[in-house]
Amino acid sequence: MVAALILTMALAAGPVFQVQTLDLENAQAHVFLARGDADNIADVFILNPKGLRWYGSQSGAHQTPFVSGTNVFDIADVDGDGQNELVFIAGDRIMRSNLTEPFEVKVLFRFHTQFAEVTGPARPHVLVVPYKGSPALALPGLDTFELRRADGSVVLSQPVHAGAPHRVQFRKPFTIWTIDPPQVAPPGSIERYVSHVVDYEPQLPKQLAPLLPLASRALTEKPRLVSAGELHYANWPSFPLKAGAETSVRVLYALSEPDEEDTVIRLDQRVQENGDRAPSHNKVSPERLYPGKIITGSPMPDFNGDGYADLLLWKTPDPLNGWSLVSRAISTRTWPVRLMAHLFSPEKMRYEPRPLSVIETHAPLSWFVQTERGSPVHNLVMADFNADGRTDLAFSTSESTYGVWLATKDGFTRRPTQVVTLSEPVESVALVTDLDGSGAAAVGLRGHDQVFLLRPAGAAPKTP
């Protein structure tokens, strides 16, 4: 199947997203972003055993094969001509190839790297980095870490062998265990083994510090929620009150006791009184209770664009409080879910007790027992989809439908701004990123056989 647009249902304001369907071709395929076209819009690459299948924002679908024996590869401009190439290592050959036909494969030079010792399928790795105004290849050799130009000339070489300067890193604390019966000591003795793991990190120059990947939000595991009485509040999970800015205020959160159905919030503020030279201390606000369980993200949402992190909580009605809910659940196999958005008030230094908005939706009954997801709100994305500075919401409203809610100055509507109907169930969120630098985030949803790329409506892709 070639890239294709699928229909969506939206309100009169128009669709938020245009949807592009991309074939995975393999259930284990790896999805990532890079720039294959000459434009400034990120393209979607799908790594499978056949090579790279990628979808240009304007040029359509392409298939770039691998040279036999390829270990690692990068999508980068290695020669400085403004067009990215496929840069890869096969054995001791450092090579490049065009991303589109005709495929002109060229050996740049030979150098035996640590990648030559690794077997298995090709995998993405940062090989090309900027150095002194032009691209260089960052290559970990057996004894040196080298930066080389595309012609093989060495511009920086740093020793990484056992005798090189290094920092000690203790990967695991000391572990003690008893051996019974004794294996070395005489019978009747107490024999114990003490072990710990030590690793070494080479002291590389600042120029070789790790680079940030292409603008793509990491989809990391959320911190575990704890009960308010389980830990001292100083050890509760937290997030900064002002994301992306220097701040001395943390928001501490935990679940209420004993039912764990609501969220307890405290503000932990570093304060300095009686002049700048006085020692600082922590000032912790009293507990405040908010109905529902908190949903966290990185960064936390900012629903009104004022720079302060806001709260999103979810709650479901008690099945004992209404037979109509039970009868509906039996007939539709769903259960209601309520999302509440609470704004932070800088003047009051607390979260507003009354929610700015309440979103009413339903989720399949099976989602309430999938505890590994954390909540029945599956595939949730909190990002700015229309570049207005406010955090919007999107999540699965059924196995194969995805709802989008745009934040306004008055909050969210109860019904979604757009509902996208997909051709197969969504399994996970593959990526969330600003593809073109406009400030509007795109969302990639992964099914079993396909990836659904939700592009901001102003940047509809070309269909080949």
Side-chain angles (χ1 to χ4, degrees), residues 25-325:
E25 299 181 5
N26 184 284
Q28 304 303 316
H30 176 61
V31 181
F32 64 97
L33 293 173
R35 289 189 171 92
D37 293 339
D39 58 25
N40 291 320
I41 301 176
D43 306 308
V44 179
F45 283 71
I46 299 176
L47 172 62
N48 56 56
K50 299 178 183 178
L52 283 173
R53 185 163 182 81
W54 62 279
Y55 299 84
S57 57
Q58 300 299 325
S59 60
H62 307 271
Q63 181 76 35
T64 304
F66 284 134
V67 170
S68 177
T70 298
N71 303 104
V72 295
F73 67 91
D74 194 6
I75 309 296
D77 179 12
V78 70
D79 51 17
D81 65 353
Q83 174 63 52
N84 282 354
E85 298 93 21
L86 176 65
V87 183
F88 57 99
I89 297 177
D92 63 352
R93 296 173 297 169
I94 315 301
M95 308 177 72
R96 65 160 293 279
S97 169
N98 299 66
L99 287 168
T100 57
E101 294 182 344
F103 298 113
E104 300 175 359
V105 181
K106 179 182 178 181
V107 177
L108 299 176
F109 56 90
R110 291 179 179 269
F111 178 62
H112 193 81
T113 69
Q114 296 179 24
F115 299 120
E117 312 298 320
V118 180
T119 59
R123 61 194 186 279
H125 188 85
V126 176
L127 295 175
V128 181
V129 298
Y131 184 72
K132 292 187 176 180
S134 57
L137 288 143
L139 303 172
L142 299 181
D143 296 314
T144 58
F145 192 101
E146 298 189 358
L147 287 184
R148 295 192 178 203
R149 300 298 184 195
D151 61 2
S153 58
V154 179
V155 294
L156 183 65
S157 180
Q158 185 74 14
V160 294
H161 52 76
H166 57 262
R167 292 185 291 268
V168 177
Q169 293 184 324
F170 293 91
R171 294 296 185 188
K172 290 184 179 180
F174 285 94
T175 303
I176 302 175
W177 67 97
T178 301
I179 305 298
D180 187 22
Q183 302 296 309
V184 178
S189 302
I190 298 176
E191 183 173 326
R192 289 178 177 168
Y193 280 74
V194 180
S195 173
H196 72 115
V197 177
V198 180
D199 198 3
Y200 300 97
E201 177 188 352
Q203 291 184 346
L204 299 178
K206 292 180 65 175
Q207 298 94 327
L208 298 184
L211 297 177
L212 293 176
L214 176 70
S216 180
R217 184 170 305 162
L219 305 175
T220 57
E221 182 180 354
K222 292 182 174 61
R224 182 179 71 90
L225 292 177
V226 301
S227 296
E230 182 180 345
L231 297 172
H232 186 271
Y233 65 78
N235 297 317
W236 289 359
S238 66
F239 55 84
L241 181 60
K242 295 194 72 171
E246 291 295 329
T247 178
S248 58
V249 183
R250 292 186 305 144
V251 181
L252 311 176
Y253 61 92
L255 296 179
S256 62
E257 290 190 315
D259 55 5
E260 297 190 346
E261 292 297 325
D262 302 314
T263 299
V264 180
I265 296 291
R266 302 187 76 165
L267 299 183
D268 182 8
Q269 184 175 11
R270 195 73 176 169
V271 297
Q272 196 163 25
E273 299 174 352
N274 302 322
D276 294 340
R277 296 185 179 182
S280 61
H281 64 277
N282 282 56
K283 180 180 179 182
V284 181
S285 70
E287 293 184 357
R288 294 187 182 275
L289 190 67
Y290 295 85
K293 295 182 180 180
I294 189 172
I295 296 176
T296 57
S298 180
M300 288 294 287
D302 180 5
F303 296 125
N304 59 349
D306 65 351
Y308 290 92
D310 298 319
L311 296 182
L312 181 66
L313 305 108
W314 69 273
K315 199 173 185 66
T316 61
D318 189 334
L320 299 179
N321 289 339
W323 282 107
S324 61
L325 291 176

